[in-house]
Amino acid sequence: MTRKLRIRLFVGVLGVIGLGLWTAWTWPSRPLPVAAPLIVTTAYRMTADTVRRNETVSHVLERQGLSRLEILELVRVAQVDGLNPRRIRAGQEFQFRFAAHESKPDRVIVRIADESILTIVRDTSGQWSGAPEPIEWTVLLEHAAGAIVSSLYETVEALIPDSVLPRAERDRLIDDL
C-alpha cells in the first residue's frame, strides 16, 4: 500500500469516527416511542343476500343460518321499525354481519325507503332490536355533453361512467329523457 493510499484511508476512517461522534453529540439517543399493541377482540365478516324471484324475507334469513323462531322474532321487530315483509320485492338486498366463528348474523341491515335504512341488532341474550336511520343524501350536479351519433342510449353510456351513475340509474335517466 502506498503512503498516499494509507493517508487517504486514515483520513476516511477519521471522518467516519468524527461523523459518528458528531451524530451522537447532536442527536442524543432517545428511546423510540412504542405504541401499545392493537388487539382485535371481535372480528366481523359482512355478507349480502338478495331476495330472488318468488322468495320471501324468510328465505333470505334462512339462508343466513337463522332458525324459524329467530326469523319470526326478527321480522316482528322489523315490522315495528318500518319494514313491511309483504312489500319486499325481488332484488331487495339485505346485509348481514357475522361475528368471527359464528354461524348466525348479529346484525341485519336493509333499506326500507329512499331516505332510511333499518339496522336490526341481536344482543348477547339473543334478543333482536331495531332502529331506522336516515340516509344523508348529498346532491352533486354533474354535467355531460355530447353529440348523439347513433342512439341516445349509446351516447349516455359512453359519457357517464358507472362511478358517476350506476347502470340502472342511467337506464332510468335515458327513459326519462
Side-chain angles (χ1 to χ4, degrees), residues 43-45 47 61-71 74 96-108 120-123 126 128:
Y44 297 100
R45 66 182 167 88
T47 63
L61 298 173
E62 199 171 85
R63 275 198 300 269
Q64 299 305 317
L66 295 173
S67 69
R68 294 203 184 259
L69 231 78
E70 291 169 319
I71 291 171
L74 192 143
F96 300 92
R97 185 181 84 169
F98 293 83
H101 310 297
E102 289 289 326
S103 61
K104 296 181 180 186
D106 65 353
R107 180 169 295 184
V108 179
I120 306 168
V121 180
R122 183 170 44 107
D123 62 17
W128 292 95

Short mmCIF file of all heavy atoms in Angstrom, two decimals, residues 43-45 47 61-71 74 96-108 120-123 126 128:
data_model
loop_
_atom_site.label_atom_id
_atom_site.label_comp_id
_atom_site.label_asym_id
_atom_site.label_seq_id
_atom_site.Cartn_x
_atom_site.Cartn_y
_atom_site.Cartn_z
N ALA A 43 -63.73 -10.01 15.50
CA ALA A 43 -63.63 -9.72 14.07
C ALA A 43 -64.99 -10.03 13.44
O ALA A 43 -65.72 -10.90 13.91
CB ALA A 43 -62.55 -10.57 13.43
N TYR A 44 -65.31 -9.29 12.42
CA TYR A 44 -66.60 -9.46 11.75
C TYR A 44 -66.40 -9.74 10.28
O TYR A 44 -65.40 -9.34 9.70
CB TYR A 44 -67.45 -8.20 11.90
CG TYR A 44 -67.81 -7.87 13.32
CD1 TYR A 44 -67.10 -6.91 14.02
CD2 TYR A 44 -68.85 -8.54 13.95
CE1 TYR A 44 -67.43 -6.62 15.34
CE2 TYR A 44 -69.18 -8.25 15.27
CZ TYR A 44 -68.47 -7.29 15.95
OH TYR A 44 -68.80 -7.01 17.24
N ARG A 45 -67.38 -10.40 9.71
CA ARG A 45 -67.41 -10.53 8.26
C ARG A 45 -68.80 -10.10 7.81
O ARG A 45 -69.79 -10.32 8.49
CB ARG A 45 -67.07 -11.94 7.79
CG ARG A 45 -68.06 -13.00 8.17
CD ARG A 45 -67.60 -14.40 7.71
NE ARG A 45 -68.39 -15.42 8.34
CZ ARG A 45 -69.53 -15.88 7.86
NH1 ARG A 45 -70.00 -15.43 6.73
NH2 ARG A 45 -70.20 -16.80 8.51
N THR A 47 -71.70 -10.00 4.74
CA THR A 47 -72.19 -10.63 3.52
C THR A 47 -73.47 -9.91 3.11
O THR A 47 -74.10 -9.23 3.91
CB THR A 47 -72.49 -12.13 3.70
OG1 THR A 47 -73.53 -12.28 4.66
CG2 THR A 47 -71.27 -12.91 4.12
N LEU A 61 -83.36 -14.96 5.16
CA LEU A 61 -82.88 -15.11 6.53
C LEU A 61 -82.52 -16.55 6.85
O LEU A 61 -81.55 -16.82 7.56
CB LEU A 61 -83.93 -14.59 7.51
CG LEU A 61 -84.27 -13.09 7.38
CD1 LEU A 61 -85.44 -12.72 8.28
CD2 LEU A 61 -83.06 -12.24 7.66
N GLU A 62 -83.26 -17.49 6.29
CA GLU A 62 -82.98 -18.90 6.50
C GLU A 62 -81.63 -19.29 5.86
O GLU A 62 -80.87 -20.06 6.42
CB GLU A 62 -84.11 -19.74 5.90
CG GLU A 62 -84.18 -21.15 6.41
CD GLU A 62 -85.45 -21.82 5.94
OE1 GLU A 62 -85.45 -22.36 4.81
OE2 GLU A 62 -86.45 -21.78 6.70
N ARG A 63 -81.35 -18.71 4.68
CA ARG A 63 -80.06 -18.97 4.02
C ARG A 63 -78.88 -18.48 4.87
O ARG A 63 -77.77 -18.98 4.75
CB ARG A 63 -80.00 -18.29 2.66
CG ARG A 63 -80.62 -19.08 1.55
CD ARG A 63 -80.16 -18.60 0.19
NE ARG A 63 -80.48 -17.22 -0.11
CZ ARG A 63 -81.60 -16.80 -0.70
NH1 ARG A 63 -82.53 -17.66 -1.06
NH2 ARG A 63 -81.79 -15.51 -0.96
N GLN A 64 -79.14 -17.51 5.73
CA GLN A 64 -78.07 -16.96 6.57
C GLN A 64 -77.94 -17.69 7.90
O GLN A 64 -77.19 -17.27 8.78
CB GLN A 64 -78.30 -15.46 6.80
CG GLN A 64 -78.31 -14.64 5.54
CD GLN A 64 -77.06 -14.83 4.70
OE1 GLN A 64 -75.95 -14.86 5.23
NE2 GLN A 64 -77.23 -14.95 3.39
N GLY A 65 -78.66 -18.79 8.07
CA GLY A 65 -78.48 -19.63 9.25
C GLY A 65 -79.44 -19.39 10.39
O GLY A 65 -79.26 -19.95 11.47
N LEU A 66 -80.46 -18.55 10.19
CA LEU A 66 -81.40 -18.28 11.27
C LEU A 66 -82.49 -19.35 11.32
O LEU A 66 -82.95 -19.83 10.28
CB LEU A 66 -82.04 -16.90 11.09
CG LEU A 66 -81.10 -15.71 11.20
CD1 LEU A 66 -81.81 -14.42 10.83
CD2 LEU A 66 -80.51 -15.62 12.58
N SER A 67 -82.89 -19.71 12.54
CA SER A 67 -83.96 -20.69 12.71
C SER A 67 -85.31 -20.00 12.48
O SER A 67 -85.40 -18.78 12.43
CB SER A 67 -83.91 -21.27 14.12
OG SER A 67 -84.27 -20.28 15.06
N ARG A 68 -86.35 -20.79 12.35
CA ARG A 68 -87.69 -20.22 12.10
C ARG A 68 -88.13 -19.32 13.26
O ARG A 68 -88.75 -18.29 13.04
CB ARG A 68 -88.70 -21.33 11.86
CG ARG A 68 -88.40 -22.09 10.58
CD ARG A 68 -89.63 -22.76 10.05
NE ARG A 68 -89.29 -23.54 8.89
CZ ARG A 68 -89.51 -23.14 7.65
NH1 ARG A 68 -90.04 -21.97 7.42
NH2 ARG A 68 -89.19 -23.92 6.64
N LEU A 69 -87.81 -19.71 14.49
CA LEU A 69 -88.18 -18.89 15.64
C LEU A 69 -87.45 -17.55 15.60
O LEU A 69 -88.05 -16.50 15.86
CB LEU A 69 -87.84 -19.64 16.94
CG LEU A 69 -88.99 -19.70 17.93
CD1 LEU A 69 -89.96 -20.77 17.49
CD2 LEU A 69 -88.46 -19.97 19.31
N GLU A 70 -86.16 -17.58 15.26
CA GLU A 70 -85.37 -16.34 15.17
C GLU A 70 -85.89 -15.46 14.03
O GLU A 70 -85.93 -14.23 14.16
CB GLU A 70 -83.89 -16.66 14.95
CG GLU A 70 -83.23 -17.30 16.14
CD GLU A 70 -81.86 -17.86 15.81
OE1 GLU A 70 -81.70 -18.45 14.73
OE2 GLU A 70 -80.95 -17.69 16.64
N ILE A 71 -86.30 -16.10 12.93
CA ILE A 71 -86.85 -15.34 11.80
C ILE A 71 -88.13 -14.63 12.21
O ILE A 71 -88.32 -13.45 11.91
CB ILE A 71 -87.07 -16.26 10.58
CG1 ILE A 71 -85.73 -16.73 10.02
CG2 ILE A 71 -87.90 -15.56 9.51
CD1 ILE A 71 -85.83 -17.81 8.97
N LEU A 74 -87.19 -11.68 14.42
CA LEU A 74 -86.55 -10.62 13.63
C LEU A 74 -87.57 -9.89 12.77
O LEU A 74 -87.57 -8.66 12.70
CB LEU A 74 -85.43 -11.21 12.77
CG LEU A 74 -84.51 -10.20 12.12
CD1 LEU A 74 -83.09 -10.73 12.12
CD2 LEU A 74 -84.92 -9.87 10.72
N PHE A 96 -75.68 -8.62 6.06
CA PHE A 96 -75.57 -9.37 7.32
C PHE A 96 -74.16 -9.25 7.86
O PHE A 96 -73.18 -9.32 7.10
CB PHE A 96 -75.89 -10.85 7.08
CG PHE A 96 -77.27 -11.09 6.56
CD1 PHE A 96 -77.51 -11.15 5.20
CD2 PHE A 96 -78.33 -11.24 7.43
CE1 PHE A 96 -78.78 -11.36 4.70
CE2 PHE A 96 -79.61 -11.45 6.94
CZ PHE A 96 -79.84 -11.51 5.58
N ARG A 97 -74.07 -9.07 9.19
CA ARG A 97 -72.76 -9.04 9.85
C ARG A 97 -72.68 -10.25 10.78
O ARG A 97 -73.56 -10.48 11.59
CB ARG A 97 -72.58 -7.76 10.66
CG ARG A 97 -71.17 -7.65 11.24
CD ARG A 97 -71.02 -6.41 12.05
NE ARG A 97 -71.53 -6.67 13.39
CZ ARG A 97 -71.35 -5.85 14.41
NH1 ARG A 97 -70.72 -4.71 14.24
NH2 ARG A 97 -71.83 -6.14 15.59
N PHE A 98 -71.60 -11.00 10.63
CA PHE A 98 -71.35 -12.17 11.46
C PHE A 98 -70.13 -11.92 12.33
O PHE A 98 -69.10 -11.45 11.82
CB PHE A 98 -71.07 -13.40 10.58
CG PHE A 98 -72.23 -13.86 9.76
CD1 PHE A 98 -72.53 -13.26 8.55
CD2 PHE A 98 -73.02 -14.92 10.19
CE1 PHE A 98 -73.59 -13.69 7.78
CE2 PHE A 98 -74.09 -15.35 9.41
CZ PHE A 98 -74.37 -14.74 8.22
N ALA A 99 -70.22 -12.25 13.60
CA ALA A 99 -69.03 -12.21 14.46
C ALA A 99 -68.13 -13.38 14.06
O ALA A 99 -68.60 -14.37 13.48
CB ALA A 99 -69.43 -12.32 15.93
N ALA A 100 -66.84 -13.24 14.35
CA ALA A 100 -65.89 -14.29 13.97
C ALA A 100 -66.33 -15.63 14.55
O ALA A 100 -66.76 -15.73 15.69
CB ALA A 100 -64.51 -13.94 14.50
N HIS A 101 -66.27 -16.65 13.72
CA HIS A 101 -66.58 -18.03 14.10
C HIS A 101 -68.03 -18.23 14.51
O HIS A 101 -68.34 -19.16 15.23
CB HIS A 101 -65.64 -18.51 15.21
CG HIS A 101 -64.20 -18.27 14.92
ND1 HIS A 101 -63.55 -18.86 13.87
CD2 HIS A 101 -63.29 -17.47 15.52
CE1 HIS A 101 -62.30 -18.45 13.84
NE2 HIS A 101 -62.11 -17.60 14.83
N GLU A 102 -68.92 -17.35 14.10
CA GLU A 102 -70.35 -17.51 14.38
C GLU A 102 -71.06 -17.90 13.09
O GLU A 102 -70.71 -17.45 12.00
CB GLU A 102 -70.96 -16.21 14.90
CG GLU A 102 -70.52 -15.85 16.30
CD GLU A 102 -71.11 -16.75 17.36
OE1 GLU A 102 -72.26 -17.19 17.19
OE2 GLU A 102 -70.43 -17.01 18.35
N SER A 103 -72.08 -18.73 13.23
CA SER A 103 -72.82 -19.17 12.04
C SER A 103 -74.10 -18.36 11.81
O SER A 103 -74.74 -18.51 10.78
CB SER A 103 -73.15 -20.65 12.16
OG SER A 103 -73.98 -20.86 13.29
N LYS A 104 -74.46 -17.53 12.80
CA LYS A 104 -75.66 -16.72 12.67
C LYS A 104 -75.30 -15.24 12.74
O LYS A 104 -74.42 -14.85 13.51
CB LYS A 104 -76.64 -17.06 13.80
CG LYS A 104 -77.14 -18.49 13.71
CD LYS A 104 -78.11 -18.79 14.80
CE LYS A 104 -78.56 -20.25 14.66
NZ LYS A 104 -79.62 -20.55 15.59
N PRO A 105 -75.99 -14.42 11.96
CA PRO A 105 -75.67 -12.99 11.97
C PRO A 105 -76.06 -12.32 13.29
O PRO A 105 -77.00 -12.75 13.96
CB PRO A 105 -76.48 -12.43 10.81
CG PRO A 105 -77.61 -13.38 10.65
CD PRO A 105 -77.09 -14.72 11.05
N ASP A 106 -75.33 -11.27 13.63
CA ASP A 106 -75.69 -10.48 14.81
C ASP A 106 -76.22 -9.11 14.41
O ASP A 106 -76.62 -8.33 15.27
CB ASP A 106 -74.52 -10.34 15.77
CG ASP A 106 -73.37 -9.55 15.20
OD1 ASP A 106 -73.40 -9.21 14.01
OD2 ASP A 106 -72.41 -9.27 15.96
N ARG A 107 -76.24 -8.84 13.12
CA ARG A 107 -76.76 -7.55 12.63
C ARG A 107 -77.31 -7.75 11.22
O ARG A 107 -76.69 -8.40 10.39
CB ARG A 107 -75.64 -6.52 12.62
CG ARG A 107 -76.09 -5.16 12.14
CD ARG A 107 -75.03 -4.13 12.40
NE ARG A 107 -74.89 -4.01 13.84
CZ ARG A 107 -74.11 -3.15 14.45
NH1 ARG A 107 -73.38 -2.33 13.74
NH2 ARG A 107 -74.04 -3.11 15.76
N VAL A 108 -78.48 -7.16 10.96
CA VAL A 108 -79.10 -7.20 9.63
C VAL A 108 -79.40 -5.75 9.25
O VAL A 108 -79.98 -5.00 10.04
CB VAL A 108 -80.41 -8.04 9.64
CG1 VAL A 108 -81.04 -8.04 8.26
CG2 VAL A 108 -80.14 -9.46 10.12
N ILE A 120 -81.03 -3.90 12.38
CA ILE A 120 -81.57 -4.76 13.42
C ILE A 120 -80.39 -5.51 14.04
O ILE A 120 -79.62 -6.16 13.33
CB ILE A 120 -82.60 -5.75 12.85
CG1 ILE A 120 -83.68 -4.99 12.08
CG2 ILE A 120 -83.22 -6.59 13.95
CD1 ILE A 120 -84.57 -5.87 11.24
N VAL A 121 -80.26 -5.41 15.37
CA VAL A 121 -79.10 -5.95 16.07
C VAL A 121 -79.55 -7.00 17.09
O VAL A 121 -80.55 -6.80 17.78
CB VAL A 121 -78.33 -4.81 16.79
CG1 VAL A 121 -77.13 -5.34 17.53
CG2 VAL A 121 -77.94 -3.74 15.80
N ARG A 122 -78.78 -8.09 17.17
CA ARG A 122 -79.04 -9.13 18.17
C ARG A 122 -78.10 -8.92 19.35
O ARG A 122 -76.89 -8.83 19.17
CB ARG A 122 -78.82 -10.52 17.55
CG ARG A 122 -79.13 -11.67 18.50
CD ARG A 122 -79.12 -13.00 17.78
NE ARG A 122 -78.03 -13.16 16.87
CZ ARG A 122 -76.98 -13.96 17.09
NH1 ARG A 122 -76.88 -14.66 18.18
NH2 ARG A 122 -76.03 -14.06 16.19
N ASP A 123 -78.64 -8.83 20.55
CA ASP A 123 -77.79 -8.63 21.73
C ASP A 123 -77.26 -9.97 22.22
O ASP A 123 -77.53 -11.02 21.65
CB ASP A 123 -78.52 -7.85 22.83
CG ASP A 123 -79.74 -8.59 23.36
OD1 ASP A 123 -79.86 -9.81 23.14
OD2 ASP A 123 -80.58 -7.94 24.00
N GLY A 126 -79.62 -12.82 22.78
CA GLY A 126 -80.31 -13.35 21.60
C GLY A 126 -81.53 -12.57 21.18
O GLY A 126 -82.21 -12.96 20.23
N TRP A 128 -83.56 -9.49 19.48
CA TRP A 128 -83.37 -8.56 18.36
C TRP A 128 -83.99 -7.21 18.70
O TRP A 128 -85.07 -7.16 19.29
CB TRP A 128 -84.01 -9.11 17.09
CG TRP A 128 -83.34 -10.33 16.55
CD1 TRP A 128 -83.69 -11.62 16.77
CD2 TRP A 128 -82.21 -10.37 15.68
NE1 TRP A 128 -82.85 -12.47 16.12
CE2 TRP A 128 -81.93 -11.74 15.43
CE3 TRP A 128 -81.40 -9.40 15.10
CZ2 TRP A 128 -80.89 -12.14 14.61
CZ3 TRP A 128 -80.35 -9.81 14.29
CH2 TRP A 128 -80.10 -11.16 14.05
#
